[in-house]
Amino acid sequence: MSEFRIHHDVNELLGLLNVRGGDGAEVYIDLLQKNRTPYVTTTVSAHSAKVKMAEHSKTPEDFLRKYDELKSKNARNLDPLVYLLSKLTEDKETLKFLQQNAKERSEMSANAASSTTTSYSIPATSSKMSMQELEELRKKLGNVTASSNVPQSSEVIRKMLRDRHNKKNPTQPNPVFPNWVYDRPALIGDFVTSPTPVGDPVVAIGTMPLAAQEQALVEDLLYVLIGVDGRDITAQPVLGRQSRSFIVDPSLDMSIKELVNRILPVASCYSTITRFTEEKSSFEYGQVNHALTAAMRTLMKEYLILVTQLEHLHRQGTLSLQKLWFYIQPTMRTMEILASIATSVDKGECMGGSTLSLLHDRTFNYTGDSQAQELCLYLTKAASVPYFEILEKWIYRGIIKDPYSEFMVEEHELQKEKIQEDYNDKYWDQRYTIVQHRIPSFLQKMADKILNTGKYLNVVRECGRDVTCPDAKEVLYTLKERAYVEQIEKAYYYASKVLLDFLMEEKELVSRLRSIKHYFLMDKGDFFVHFMDLTEEELKKPVDDIIPPRLEALLELALRMSTANTDPFKDDLKIDLMPHDVITQLLRVLAIDTKQEKAIINAEPTEVSLSGLEAFSFDYIVKWPLSLIINRKALTRYQMLFRHMFYCKHVERLLCNVWISNKASKQYSLHSAKWFAAAFALRQRMLNFVQNIQYYMMFEVNEPTWHIMENNLKSASNIDDVLCHHTSFLDNCLKDCMLTNPELLRIFSKLMSVCVMFTNCMQRFTHSMRIDSEMKRLTFGNATMEGSSTSAERTEEAEKKRLTSKFIAEHVDALQSDSGFEATISKFDSNFSTLLLDLLDKLSIYSTNDCEHSMINIIYRLDFNGFYTERLEKMAIERSQKTAA
């Protein structure tokens, strides 16, 4: 059972028990996961638990009757449930709580019913009902009750099964027997009951001598044993799944009647078996039931041969009632077992794997009775042949041929092409699924391996390669599980190796993953520097103004002019302009497989116009079967990491541009500005923060995690291990890069925003300084212009003055006072320091409480000289004081 299933069940149980407050479901989930052990059902434990429950029950007969009924219907997990209930009866405190809870729930239900229903009173009658009216009312009520308990007819059940099959397989309809097979009951071999007796005997059998009575009854019994009414023994009509009963002439001698009643159960069993074989041999009930009925018919031939031999003895006048009883006794046990199996299969409405589970359990339950066990083993082997044929095609070739929906693996119509389109594609998990009630109990432990074996081979087949297991042998049912378990395991290891080699060697999975790492995890530094230089102006535009083919051309140019040109898969890299920013994409990823998924995916794009940089991302073309590993979920996680690091790289470039501008502005006379040093120091702190974050993500998260995954892939034994390692790699990267923690992400986003706004402010300041310099130069030029020696020089100076005046007019808004800039820089410094301290504090909490030890490396890098240590310790003390208060 998965952790999510345990969580769901615990929460539902707490809701049913009306448990509120306390430590919540998490405590109980941890206890369950640490202390649970698999329950192995044994005959002894199941029997003792049943006896204990019967002793504790107020109505033990009803409990045992219900248990036997569920057991006959092949109810799964019945014995583990009874065992759990027997353990609960031993815990008095729990039992008392459950009784109190049941009482409260019944009172709440009663109150709800009384508040929502209208009470009616029976009108008083002036006179009592007569006996005749009472009898008529009793008959009517009896008829209504009888009609409500009548099970569905065989024809209705067959039609329902046929419609279900035709709906699932419209191109392969079930074959149908002609109507005359069902309309002529005389062909069935069972008793043909008529509403009126054929004729009354001339002489009552009780008036005849004992010898004559015995001979007449022997003849009647020989007829009854093959499903034909006798003169003095007639079959009663049956309703639904009832056992056949008989009416014996009441005038018969008591000693003969007693012996007849001992023989009649064989006739009843014959009737049950005959009806079962005729009904379940229809195509609608599947191949397993058809094979079972064929095996039963084979056994019934021996019984009919015995009856024929007895009839021959009767004709010779040597068969007495005692001899008949003697000869029929060895057959009674066989007929009882066959009738019991037929009744159980019928009551449980078993098909396919359910039928095999029932037969397997019966075979084991008859341990100690060699004759009965051998009989059940014969039936199980015969019934399992068609099931194992389906199994062999699945585990040896990856093909399902299950026309009657009996096999444990069910195929669903899903398109593999959607893996590259759908965020929540379920191809690998839901194309083929396990249907629990179709799993034979003797294959329960191997169910997952059987599913995966066929899935692996099916993937290779869909790539156009025909695969067949070289160790393919016929799978036969046996009481020694190891025989067919070994065959399944051999097929599983072969299928795992074939698919893994196919993906690793022929499809070059690891090389593909390295290629994706180069671009999405920014592995190729020179490529990104070249690409960002080429696309800088284009990505500054609003996303609606960007021409994608132009970006594709620039990408192609950057790929060809960098070390990425050696990558054989570089042509699969594409540009993707997303309709949402990085935060929204994160929410889309986190919402997968949750209730909010549909709402977030279908949400309208943000009204704020995105810039090309905010919408920019890479995409990658992956074809089948690599798309099983590199599916849309995986690519979305790669995009998430890329957009996060790409934006950090963008902020770093902005801060470096500020550094270049500051270098150029040193030629200006700014020594009087007090905020000059503060602005340079803040820029350096921001640059240090961004560069250290990038270093942490690339060299302390992505690279070590990648090497772990690469080593794990070398030791992977099947495709599920590869999927697990790849998903684990991406999840660990996302978590350690702070992308799965909304609180850390919010603080980090604000820090990036402060850095971007600071760079914009510094760029405006640089413009203002340039204007100021031009104004001074212009003033100086006016003073010297009058002394110009020639008219040409004066003309040139006048043109410069005109151009400078135009530049100043265009940028007059950028001119600000020194005091205004000083306040702005001080505010930026305050905001950045506050947010950075908040981030370091939260990282310290998460690395301590949640054991996220990798995140503490950020603190060591950003606080390498202890600059923030004192303030962080002060915040920790204040937090602990608030907690204590």
Side-chain angles (χ1 to χ4, degrees):
M1 186 184 292
S2 66
E3 182 181 350
F4 300 104
R5 179 65 185 273
I6 294 174
H7 197 283
H8 173 267
D9 290 345
V10 169
N11 277 311
E12 190 172 358
L13 182 60
L14 291 177
L16 289 171
L17 296 177
N18 200 24
V19 177
R20 298 286 184 270
D23 298 325
E26 301 298 332
V27 177
Y28 303 106
I29 292 167
D30 291 339
L31 286 173
L32 278 174
Q33 290 180 326
K34 290 176 182 177
N35 301 319
R36 63 176 176 157
T37 54
Y39 171 71
V40 180
T41 309
T42 62
T43 306
V44 176
S45 62
H47 180 72
S48 59
K50 180 179 71 170
V51 171
K52 188 179 293 184
M53 285 299 300
E55 291 174 353
H56 189 268
S57 175
K58 294 181 180 178
T59 54
E61 295 84 1
D62 293 341
F63 169 78
L64 292 173
R65 192 182 302 112
K66 190 66 177 177
Y67 178 87
D68 292 337
E69 179 187 343
L70 291 173
K71 200 69 176 173
S72 68
K73 290 184 176 180
N74 194 32
R76 291 292 179 101
N77 299 322
L78 177 61
D79 288 333
L81 175 62
V82 173
Y83 180 80
L84 172 64
L85 294 175
S86 68
K87 287 295 182 184
L88 288 176
T89 59
E90 298 174 2
D91 190 342
K92 302 299 180 185
E93 187 177 351
T94 304
L95 195 60
K96 185 178 179 182
F97 174 78
L98 290 174
Q99 289 171 345
Q100 180 65 28
N101 180 262
K103 184 179 178 182
E104 291 174 358
R105 287 167 62 85
S106 62
E107 289 176 356
M108 290 173 60
S109 301
N111 293 336
S114 62
S115 63
T116 57
T117 59
T118 307
S119 59
Y120 293 95
S121 59
I122 300 175
T125 56
S126 57
S127 61
K128 294 182 179 180
M129 293 179 68
S130 64
M131 292 300 295
Q132 184 179 357
E133 291 173 339
L134 187 61
E135 189 66 26
E136 290 178 359
L137 179 60
R138 187 181 293 116
K139 287 181 180 179
K140 289 180 180 179
L141 290 174
N143 292 335
V144 171
T145 306
S147 63
S148 63
N149 291 330
V150 171
Q152 290 179 322
S153 66
S154 301
E155 184 180 350
V156 173
I157 296 174
R158 283 196 301 270
K159 186 177 184 304
M160 182 179 66
L161 292 172
R162 196 183 308 124
D163 291 343
R164 186 190 305 169
H165 170 83
N166 293 341
K167 184 178 181 181
K168 186 176 180 182
N169 303 299
T171 58
Q172 297 177 344
N174 261 338
V176 182
F177 283 132
N179 290 332
W180 57 264
V181 174
Y182 307 108
D183 294 340
R184 298 174 65 182
L187 297 175
I188 294 176
D190 192 19
F191 295 92
V192 180
T193 56
S194 56
T196 58
V198 178
D200 295 328
V202 180
V203 181
I205 192 169
T207 61
M208 299 168 61
L210 285 177
Q213 288 186 35
E214 184 176 350
Q215 287 301 314
L217 262 298
V218 167
E219 185 174 354
D220 270 11
L221 284 172
L222 290 173
Y223 279 119
V224 170
L225 288 174
I226 59 172
V228 180
D229 281 334
R231 192 187 68 169
D232 300 302
I233 304 174
T234 54
Q236 288 280 79
V238 291
L239 187 64
R241 300 187 179 101
Q242 293 178 354
S243 297
R244 179 78 68 180
S245 58
F246 300 90
I247 298 175
V248 183
D249 193 318
S251 64
L252 188 65
D253 184 77
M254 287 301 296
S255 60
I256 297 175
K257 190 174 183 179
E258 180 65 26
L259 203 53
V260 168
N261 287 334
R262 291 183 186 180
I263 299 173
L264 283 178
V266 181
S268 178
C269 292
Y270 170 81
S271 175
T272 300
I273 298 166
T274 303
R275 282 182 283 129
F276 174 80
T277 54
E278 289 295 333
E279 179 185 350
K280 300 301 180 183
S281 60
S282 297
F283 295 105
E284 291 83 4
Y285 292 97
Q287 300 176 83
V288 172
N289 283 343
H290 186 80
L292 175 61
T293 57
M296 284 187 171
R297 282 196 172 110
T298 303
L299 294 172
M300 290 291 287
K301 286 179 183 178
E302 299 178 5
Y303 167 78
L304 293 173
I305 290 171
L306 173 63
V307 175
T308 305
Q309 292 172 348
L310 292 174
E311 186 179 356
H312 183 66
L313 291 175
H314 175 61
R315 287 178 181 175
Q316 293 177 351
T318 59
L319 184 64
S320 65
L321 200 56
Q322 289 290 345
K323 283 185 178 181
L324 177 60
W325 168 240
F326 174 78
Y327 287 128
I328 208 70
Q329 279 189 71
T331 315
M332 288 187 70
R333 181 63 175 153
T334 301
M335 298 297 285
E336 286 174 0
I337 294 171
L338 293 178
S340 173
I341 291 173
T343 304
S344 298
V345 172
D346 205 18
K347 280 186 177 179
E349 298 179 355
C350 300
M351 286 180 62
S354 300
T355 301
L356 294 179
S357 294
L358 189 144
L359 292 171
H360 174 76
D361 294 342
R362 287 296 178 92
T363 305
F364 262 91
N365 289 341
Y366 284 128
T367 303
D369 186 347
S370 58
Q371 182 183 357
Q373 190 175 49
E374 188 178 349
L375 174 64
C376 289
L377 184 59
Y378 168 76
L379 293 175
T380 311
K381 283 183 176 179
S384 63
V385 169
Y387 194 90
F388 279 141
E389 286 178 357
I390 302 172
L391 176 66
E392 288 168 14
K393 285 185 180 178
W394 176 245
I395 64 173
Y396 293 151
R397 302 190 62 195
I399 299 172
I400 282 188
K401 191 175 182 181
D402 182 23
Y404 302 103
S405 302
E406 299 173 283
F407 191 51
M408 67 173 77
V409 179
E410 187 172 39
E411 183 178 7
H412 304 277
E413 289 297 327
L414 291 174
Q415 296 178 4
K416 60 179 179 288
E417 290 78 10
K418 286 191 175 181
I419 292 180
Q420 280 295 301
E421 303 170 6
D422 191 358
Y423 276 87
N424 198 17
D425 183 79
K426 300 288 186 181
Y427 185 88
W428 184 249
D429 295 329
Q430 289 191 358
R431 171 71 189 277
Y432 297 102
T433 56
I434 289 284
V435 183
Q436 285 296 328
H437 69 272
R438 297 185 197 166
I439 305 175
S441 54
F442 53 88
L443 292 178
Q444 183 74 48
K445 297 176 184 177
M446 304 297 295
D448 289 334
K449 281 192 175 180
I450 291 171
L451 172 67
N452 290 333
T453 302
K455 281 169 66 175
Y456 297 160
L457 294 177
N458 186 265
V459 171
V460 181
R461 282 180 57 80
E462 291 201 5
C463 295
R465 292 181 54 179
D466 190 19
V467 286
T468 304
C469 180
D471 299 323
K473 294 180 182 178
E474 187 180 5
V475 183
L476 298 173
Y477 174 80
T478 173
L479 289 177
K480 297 178 182 178
E481 288 186 8
R482 198 63 213 164
Y484 47 78
V485 166
E486 285 180 356
Q487 287 300 113
I488 293 170
E489 286 181 342
K490 286 180 182 178
Y492 172 74
Y493 291 131
Y494 169 76
S496 302
K497 187 177 185 303
V498 164
L499 180 58
L500 198 61
D501 292 346
F502 181 67
L503 290 177
M504 291 292 190
E505 296 173 9
E506 188 170 331
K507 296 298 180 181
E508 302 177 284
L509 174 62
V510 176
S511 299
R512 283 278 182 179
L513 291 174
R514 287 199 191 103
S515 174
I516 290 174
K517 175 177 177 282
H518 291 332
Y519 308 117
F520 286 86
L521 301 185
M522 301 184 70
D523 200 358
K524 295 285 186 183
D526 64 323
F527 160 71
F528 278 100
V529 170
H530 195 47
F531 177 73
M532 294 181 82
D533 287 341
L534 289 173
T535 59
E536 184 174 9
E537 293 300 323
E538 190 72 17
L539 292 178
K540 286 180 181 179
K541 300 177 183 177
V543 68
D544 295 334
D545 297 340
I546 293 177
I547 303 172
R550 177 172 171 77
L551 276 181
E552 293 282 358
L554 294 174
L555 172 64
E556 181 76 12
L557 184 62
L559 286 170
R560 304 297 177 192
M561 298 179 64
S562 65
T563 55
N565 192 39
T566 59
D567 181 13
F569 309 114
K570 60 181 179 294
D571 293 333
D572 291 330
L573 186 67
K574 300 296 176 186
I575 298 291
D576 190 9
L577 295 176
M578 309 292 284
H580 37 70
D581 58 15
V582 67
I583 303 299
T584 306
Q585 188 179 18
L586 172 69
L587 293 175
R588 290 167 72 92
V589 173
L590 295 178
I592 288 176
D593 288 335
T594 64
K595 295 180 179 178
Q596 293 81 19
E597 177 188 8
K598 187 178 292 186
I600 290 178
I601 289 179
N602 296 331
E604 294 291 332
T606 54
E607 295 181 1
V608 180
S609 178
L610 296 176
S611 67
L613 185 82
E614 292 171 319
F616 176 78
S617 180
F618 282 143
D619 202 358
Y620 204 84
I621 299 174
V622 188
K623 295 181 181 179
W624 176 266
L626 290 175
S627 53
L628 283 174
I629 308 297
I630 313 169
N631 51 30
R632 177 48 57 185
K633 283 186 182 179
L635 282 173
T636 303
R637 284 165 167 78
Y638 277 117
Q639 285 181 332
M640 195 63 220
L641 288 165
F642 168 73
R643 297 182 74 184
H644 186 57
M645 292 189 293
F646 188 75
Y647 192 73
C648 289
K649 191 69 178 176
H650 167 68
V651 174
E652 182 194 10
R653 286 169 62 89
L654 290 178
L655 289 168
C656 289
N657 289 338
V658 169
W659 178 80
I660 294 171
S661 300
N662 289 342
K663 285 288 185 184
S665 62
K666 282 184 178 180
Q667 59 183 314
Y668 306 133
S669 57
L670 300 175
H671 302 289
S672 60
K674 298 178 182 180
W675 51 267
F676 184 82
F680 273 44
L682 178 59
R683 184 254 307 148
Q684 188 59 35
R685 283 173 59 206
M686 289 180 173
L687 190 60
N688 177 69
F689 165 72
V690 175
Q691 287 176 339
N692 275 292
I693 286 289
Q694 285 187 92
Y695 180 90
Y696 162 76
M697 288 190 295
M698 297 183 71
F699 296 103
E700 294 187 16
V701 175
N702 294 344
E703 284 298 329
T705 314
W706 169 265
H707 285 298
I708 291 172
M709 181 192 73
E710 208 168 27
N711 291 331
N712 288 336
L713 291 181
K714 292 176 183 177
S715 60
S717 59
N718 55 62
I719 196 67
D720 285 290
D721 289 346
V722 174
L723 273 167
C724 181
H725 294 321
H726 186 230
T727 305
S728 177
F729 159 71
L730 289 172
D731 289 344
N732 288 335
C733 288
L734 286 167
K735 180 184 67 175
D736 291 339
C737 290
M738 302 178 289
L739 296 181
T740 58
N741 190 314
E743 193 171 10
L744 292 177
L745 188 67
R746 176 179 57 82
I747 299 171
F748 186 82
S749 300
K750 288 182 179 179
L751 277 166
M752 292 291 103
S753 299
V754 170
C755 292
V756 172
M757 288 189 289
F758 171 77
T759 59
N760 293 336
C761 177
M762 291 302 294
Q763 292 295 346
R764 288 197 301 271
F765 160 71
T766 303
H767 278 291
S768 67
M769 290 303 100
R770 195 176 301 160
I771 294 169
D772 187 49
S773 175
E774 288 295 335
M775 289 181 66
K776 288 180 180 179
R777 194 181 67 79
L778 185 61
T779 304
F780 179 76
N782 289 336
T784 58
M785 188 174 173
E786 295 175 358
S788 297
S789 58
T790 64
S791 60
E793 290 178 351
R794 284 196 296 271
T795 304
E796 182 180 355
E797 290 296 331
E799 181 63 21
K800 287 183 178 179
K801 178 181 177 182
R802 187 183 67 80
L803 292 174
T804 303
S805 300
K806 181 181 178 183
F807 179 81
I808 293 172
E810 289 175 353
H811 297 85
V812 68
D813 293 338
L815 295 172
Q816 295 185 25
S817 63
D818 288 354
S819 60
F821 273 115
E822 184 177 359
T824 302
I825 297 301
S826 176
K827 189 174 180 180
F828 274 122
D829 191 301
S830 174
N831 290 341
F832 180 77
S833 300
T834 302
L835 289 170
L836 184 58
L837 277 171
D838 196 13
L839 178 66
L840 295 176
D841 185 47
K842 291 292 189 296
L843 286 172
S844 176
I845 295 172
Y846 287 121
S847 61
T848 305
N849 297 346
D850 298 342
C851 299
E852 302 294 347
H853 300 303
S854 59
M855 289 186 182
I856 205 168
N857 294 335
I858 305 177
I859 302 176
Y860 294 147
R861 296 194 66 83
L862 295 177
D863 192 27
F864 64 95
N865 58 356
F867 181 75
Y868 300 106
T869 303
E870 183 179 349
R871 297 170 71 176
L872 286 172
E873 289 175 351
K874 184 178 179 181
M875 292 173 71
I877 293 171
E878 291 176 355
R879 185 169 55 252
S880 61
Q881 288 175 350
K882 288 181 180 179
T883 306

